[in-house]
Amino acid sequence: MYYVAEVKESDCAKYNCKQCVLFCPEPNTLMFHDSKHTAWVNYSRCKGCAICVYVCSDLLKRNCIQMVMMTAGD
Amino acid sequence: MGLEYVRISPGFEKYMPKDYVDLVQYGQFGRQIDVQQLGQFKELVEEHPMCAGCFMAYFIRVFYAALPNPEDTIVIGTAGCARLALSQAAVPFVYGNYGDTNAVASGLKRALTIRFPDKEKDVVVIAGDGGLIDIGFGMTMHSWFRREKFTTIMVDNEVYGNTGGQESGMSPKGVQLKMAPKGKQFDKINAVELAKTAGCVYVAKLAPTNPKRIAKTIRRAILAARHFGPTFIHAYTSCNIEYSIPTEKVLEDARKREKQDFGFYEWMTDEVKEYFEEIEKQSQEVKA
Ligand SMILES: Cc1ncc(C[n+]2csc(CCOP(=O)(O)OP(=O)(O)O)c2C)c(N)n1
Ligand code: SF4
Ligand code: SF4
Ligand code: SF4
Ligand SMILES: [Mg+2]
């Protein structure tokens, strides 16, 4: 089981903001989709720190990203 | 190093690892990236074993995105946490013995200048507070006294993180660490003033709260080192393990430390200031 971040893409796409992407400590992990205008997570690279949740929920009050449990292979 | 070494020879694309092909096709080589594009290109630094939520790892991520010329850059690191990520990037990395980084960088920069007289080759040291201001203090200072033309970046987590929590000269007075149980007895060293006194031509201090500003500072430090002399960045990069910061609060902590010891500070000689005014004017003319 892993603890990873998951973006609620339809909510995120309303904002086109990208702020969490600019604060993830891991490279090539929290990405931004050019045409869908949404952040998305490369789950196998996410280390589960939840800094992105702090940015989206605590700083921006947008609540578009949450931590979830994931099983290897999901 | 150089663009011709990075590109894949025709016909070999299908044998190369996907991450490498992505790097060449969607990466930074040969083009200028704006740090705001993070998440939309293949980054130079790869997966690495630094801890979850480590803001030193975050600073290193932004560092690579900020490089003005990654294909012509060599990074020098040493023992300490930073090298765990620095060694996983598509930029040549030299592991200097602990304390020796700035001596190694001095020799390397001089050799590159002789070998490639018509090309800019950037040398950047990234090392910890212990590596640069405690055990490597003499080498760091003397590289500045000699006006060696490279950039030194201190990733200051205010502790020996990699070896489990000894105090460093950069730990704040009074702080209790695993191996400083009575609390540190002395003040935090003023590294920025030392750098100015020792001959650096561009000096900055920051906390990693604003990626655009980190990138601009790194680019300025590298460009000033090319033409004028040693440059120094003192970056706060917390150790959430040794300072027991819950990972989700790491950015909040950086914002707090910014209001205390790490307010953004930038200093440069008049010569360097004129140079930036000139190139920034030119780039505005290009955009207009
Ligand atoms: C000559 C030498 N002395 C001591 C060590 C052991 N050592 C490895 S990392 C380290 C401390 C690292 O602290 P710092 O430079 O602040 O980097 P951090 O891990 O905190 O990023 C020490 C003492 C070593 N590798 N080489
Ligand atoms: S901070 Fe929130 S709204 Fe903004 S890109 Fe990230 S998930 Fe989307
Ligand atoms: S939890 Fe941490 S590693 Fe994972 S996407 Fe969010 S910021 Fe990045
Ligand atoms: S020990 Fe501290 S500085 Fe080192 S990788 Fe972990 S959090 Fe980062
Ligand atoms: Mg340290």
Side-chain angles (χ1 to χ4, degrees), chain B residues 28-278:
Chain B
Q28 274 170 262
F29 293 126
R31 65 190 176 111
Q32 283 297 321
I33 286 282
D34 185 318
V35 70
Q36 311 270 70
Q37 288 168 266
L38 275 170
Q40 291 168 292
F41 63 92
K42 176 70 174 174
E43 290 168 59
L44 290 163
V45 60
E46 255 304 326
E47 283 178 291
H48 56 67
M50 292 182 80
C51 302
C54 176
F55 244 29
M56 189 185 292
Y58 171 64
F59 179 88
I60 290 169
R61 180 181 179 222
V62 177
F63 163 76
Y64 280 109
L67 285 181
N69 214 358
E71 56 275 8
D72 289 300
T73 302
I74 297 184
V75 173
I76 320 270
T78 186
C81 288
R83 51 79 201 242
L84 297 169
L86 300 174
S87 56
Q88 305 304 321
V91 171
F93 170 69
V94 177
Y95 187 100
N97 200 5
Y98 198 57
D100 293 355
T101 49
N102 283 40
V104 174
S106 301
L108 185 64
K109 177 67 194 193
R110 291 186 192 192
L112 289 168
T113 309
I114 295 167
R115 172 66 182 79
F116 301 100
D118 310 322
K119 263 194 154 178
E120 297 297 353
K121 298 281 183 185
D122 300 321
V123 172
V124 185
V125 170
I126 302 193
D129 42 319
L132 288 171
I133 296 286
D134 286 352
I135 298 178
F137 187 77
M139 306 274 184
T140 306
M141 287 297 142
H142 276 271
S143 71
W144 293 344
F145 294 147
R146 293 192 308 269
R147 309 285 161 106
E148 304 285 352
K149 289 181 167 169
F150 65 86
T151 299
T152 304
I153 301 178
M154 174 164 64
V155 278
D156 179 13
N157 55 5
E158 312 190 297
V159 64
Y160 288 21
N162 205 215
T163 41
Q166 297 81 9
E167 71 175 44
S168 88
M170 300 305 296
S171 308
K173 189 173 182 178
V175 77
Q176 252 182 332
L177 294 158
K178 275 186 207 141
M179 285 180 244
K182 290 186 350 193
K184 192 188 172 204
Q185 307 285 308
F186 311 100
D187 283 324
K188 186 174 174 74
I189 295 171
N190 191 336
V192 155
E193 288 304 319
L194 283 171
K196 283 161 67 176
T197 305
C200 287
V201 297
Y202 176 90
V203 176
K205 177 155 84 168
L206 54 80
T209 57
N210 176 340
K212 210 172 164 177
R213 192 166 63 195
I214 307 170
K216 185 175 179 187
T217 307
I218 288 168
R219 292 174 76 89
R220 283 186 153 195
I222 291 175
L223 294 179
R226 279 185 191 172
H227 303 294
F228 302 103
T231 61
F232 175 60
I233 299 174
H234 178 188
Y236 175 63
T237 56
S238 66
C239 176
N240 59 66
I241 297 293
E242 294 305 335
Y243 277 80
S244 305
I245 308 165
T247 57
E248 70 276 13
K249 299 221 185 293
V250 160
L251 175 55
E252 187 181 300
D253 165 78
R255 289 158 67 99
K256 190 182 90 195
R257 295 293 281 127
E258 183 169 47
K259 294 201 184 91
Q260 303 164 341
D261 291 342
F262 285 92
F264 182 69
Y265 173 83
E266 191 183 43
W267 175 90
M268 63 196 95
T269 62
D270 292 341
E271 193 179 42
V272 172
K273 192 179 275 168
E274 274 168 38
Y275 167 72
F276 287 137
E277 278 165 7
E278 189 53 36

Side-chain angles (χ1 to χ4, degrees), chain A residues 1-73:
Chain A
M1 296 272 275
Y2 298 88
Y3 197 43
V4 295
E6 187 179 62
V7 178
K8 294 180 236 168
E9 295 192 0
S10 54
D11 291 351
C12 171
K14 290 182 215 152
Y15 298 104
N16 200 13
C17 88
K18 243 193 107 174
Q19 286 306 305
C20 60
V21 176
L22 300 179
F23 284 99
C24 173
E26 297 302 315
N28 303 304
T29 300
L30 183 48
M31 310 297 287
F32 196 77
H33 199 290
D34 295 346
S35 52
K36 288 203 277 181
H37 306 292
T38 171
W40 61 278
V41 178
N42 184 337
Y43 300 123
S44 67
R45 290 175 182 250
C46 172
K47 289 184 184 167
C49 69
I51 290 174
C52 51
V53 176
Y54 172 77
V55 172
C56 188
S57 298
D58 294 62
L59 290 183
L60 299 170
K61 315 283 180 220
R62 292 184 174 162
N63 305 318
C64 298
I65 189 161
Q66 61 189 4
M67 302 310 294
V68 295
M69 277 298 187
M70 193 154 282
T71 309

